[in-house]
Amino acid sequence: MRTERHWQRARQVSEQARRKGALVPLDTLLLAIPGVEPFVVRQLLSSTPRHLRQGGPRPNPFLPWDSPLEVTLLEPAHVLLLNKYPVQEAHLLVITRDWRPQGGWIEASDWQAVRQVSQDTGGLWFFNSGARSGASQPHRHLQLLPRRPGEPSCPLAPLFLAQLAGTMAPWDWAYSLDRRTDPEGGSDLADLYLAHCRALQIGDPRCNSEPLHPYNLLFDDQWFLTVRREREHGAGFSVNALGFAGFLLSTEGSDREWLERHGPWSLLAHVAAARA
C-alpha cells in the first residue's frame, strides 16, 4: 500500500513555492473540439513560458536547481523537484544532481531513483529523450503526474490496455507496448526500456554511445510504452510524451482547425516515426 508521502510533501512545497513566486502554474482552458475524444486538448491562456519558446541557448535550471521547488533528495544521486510551470498540481521531476544529458541513455541509477518514488507515489511517468521528442531541457529528468489508486493515469490508458488484451488493432507508427510485471517495485523498468529500444532500433547502450533516434517513454502501474519519434512539431502543436498519453496543449501558433479536420491520431502519426 503506497503512503503517498512524496505527493503530500509536493502539495505542501507547492503552496510555499507559489507564495515565493518560484512556482508559476499555467492557466489553461479545456477546449470542446468535436471528434478529438478521448484526447484532452487545453488552450494555454498564460503567456508562453520560456521552455516552450523557440530559439536560442537556455540556461540549465537544474544546476543549481531552484531550492523552493525541492520536494526531497533521492539518494544517492537524484532530487525530486516540482515542475516550475505545471498544468497539473504537484507535477514532479526526478533529476540528476550532477549533469547528465537528457539525450543519453537512461541509466541504472535513474531507474533506482524512479523506483524510490514509485514505491511511495504512483501515476503517469514520462520521458522526452531530446528536443525532437519534446524535451525542453537538456539535463536528465523523468517526470511524474501523480494519480490515486484506481484512477486512470491518462486518457489513452484504456486503449493501451485494450491493445495488450488483443482487442484493438495496432497504430501505424513505431512503438512498443508491454504489460508491467512489477508495478510498485519497479524491477521490470530497466529491462523493458532496453528491450523496447532494441525493438525500435533506437539502439543498445552496450553497442551505441547514445540513442540513435529520439523517443518518448510513458508508463504507469499496468503498462510501459516507448514511441520512436521523427519530429517535435505538427500543425503548430508541440508534442512531447504527453501527446501519446492523450494530452495536447494548444498555443498561439497551433492550428486548431487542422486538428479538427484531421484529428489527433493524424497529429501523432505525423510526429512519430513510421512503423517498419
Side-chain angles (χ1 to χ4, degrees), residues 222-260:
Q222 300 182 76
W223 48 265
F224 188 100
L225 172 70
T226 306
V227 180
R228 182 171 146 184
R229 293 292 297 273
E230 186 68 28
R231 60 187 60 86
E232 188 263 346
H233 261 73
F237 287 87
S238 175
V239 182
N240 64 11
L242 289 179
F244 292 89
F247 296 111
L248 296 174
L249 185 64
S250 176
T251 61
E252 57 187 0
S254 301
D255 189 342
R256 286 164 50 184
E257 291 184 0
W258 184 98
L259 188 67
E260 187 170 347

Side-chain angles (χ1 to χ4, degrees), residues 120-190:
D120 174 87
T121 298
L124 176 67
W125 287 90
F126 63 100
F127 177 79
N128 309 309
S129 73
R132 287 168 59 198
S133 57
S136 61
Q137 305 297 340
H139 186 121
R140 179 84 47 79
H141 63 287
L142 290 96
Q143 306 188 52
L144 172 64
L145 298 178
R147 298 287 187 263
R148 295 292 185 197
E151 180 183 6
S153 63
C154 64
L156 299 190
L159 302 187
F160 300 149
L161 294 176
Q163 286 211 14
L164 290 170
T167 59
M168 182 177 175
W171 293 295
D172 289 331
W173 21 274
Y175 69 100
S176 290
L177 175 66
D178 275 299
R179 192 176 295 278
R180 293 284 310 276
T181 58
D182 186 16
E184 293 190 20
S187 63
D188 56 341
L189 292 171

Side-chain angles (χ1 to χ4, degrees), residues 12-246:
Q12 295 169 0
V13 174
S14 293
E15 184 57 35
Q16 297 165 6
R18 189 197 298 257
R19 289 199 299 265
K20 294 177 180 178
L23 187 71
V24 187
L26 298 182
D27 189 15
T28 65
L29 173 68
L30 184 64
L31 298 178
I33 302 177
V36 303
E37 300 82 2
F39 286 78
V40 173
V41 184
R42 289 187 172 275
Q43 176 68 43
L44 180 65
L45 301 180
S46 306
S47 60
T48 304
R50 286 176 295 176
H51 71 285
L52 291 178
R53 297 174 194 160
Q54 296 295 310
R58 305 183 183 98
N60 186 340
F62 302 142
L63 283 179
W65 61 85
D66 197 350
S67 58
L69 300 178
E70 180 183 314
V71 176
T72 191
L73 295 177
L74 302 170
E75 299 301 338
H78 290 70
V79 62
L80 187 64
L81 290 183
L82 292 170
N83 184 337
K84 185 177 183 69
Y85 301 104
V87 172
Q88 176 194 303
E89 182 190 37
H91 180 165
L92 295 169
L93 309 178
V94 171
I95 72 164
T96 56
R97 297 187 206 174
D98 297 324
W99 164 255
R100 301 298 294 170
Q102 185 77 353
W105 294 106
I106 300 177
E107 300 171 85
S109 60
D110 301 314
W111 292 120
Q112 179 184 351
V114 168
R115 290 173 65 179
Q116 286 183 53
V117 178
S118 66
Q119 288 166 4
D120 174 87
T121 298
L124 176 67
W125 287 90
F126 63 100
F127 177 79
N128 309 309
S129 73
R132 287 168 59 198
S133 57
S136 61
Q137 305 297 340
H139 186 121
R140 179 84 47 79
H141 63 287
L142 290 96
Q143 306 188 52
L144 172 64
L145 298 178
R147 298 287 187 263
R148 295 292 185 197
E151 180 183 6
S153 63
C154 64
L156 299 190
L159 302 187
F160 300 149
L161 294 176
Q163 286 211 14
L164 290 170
T167 59
M168 182 177 175
W171 293 295
D172 289 331
W173 21 274
Y175 69 100
S176 290
L177 175 66
D178 275 299
R179 192 176 295 278
R180 293 284 310 276
T181 58
D182 186 16
E184 293 190 20
S187 63
D188 56 341
L189 292 171
D191 287 342
L192 285 168
Y193 169 62
L194 294 175
H196 283 198
C197 286
R198 289 191 290 265
L200 294 172
Q201 299 182 334
I202 292 167
D204 188 320
R206 296 173 298 183
C207 309
N208 308 106
S209 60
E210 60 184 26
L212 303 176
H213 302 281
Y215 63 92
N216 294 124
L217 300 180
L218 301 100
F219 56 95
D220 67 7
D221 284 350
Q222 300 182 76
W223 48 265
F224 188 100
L225 172 70
T226 306
V227 180
R228 182 171 146 184
R229 293 292 297 273
E230 186 68 28
R231 60 187 60 86
E232 188 263 346
H233 261 73
F237 287 87
S238 175
V239 182
N240 64 11
L242 289 179
F244 292 89

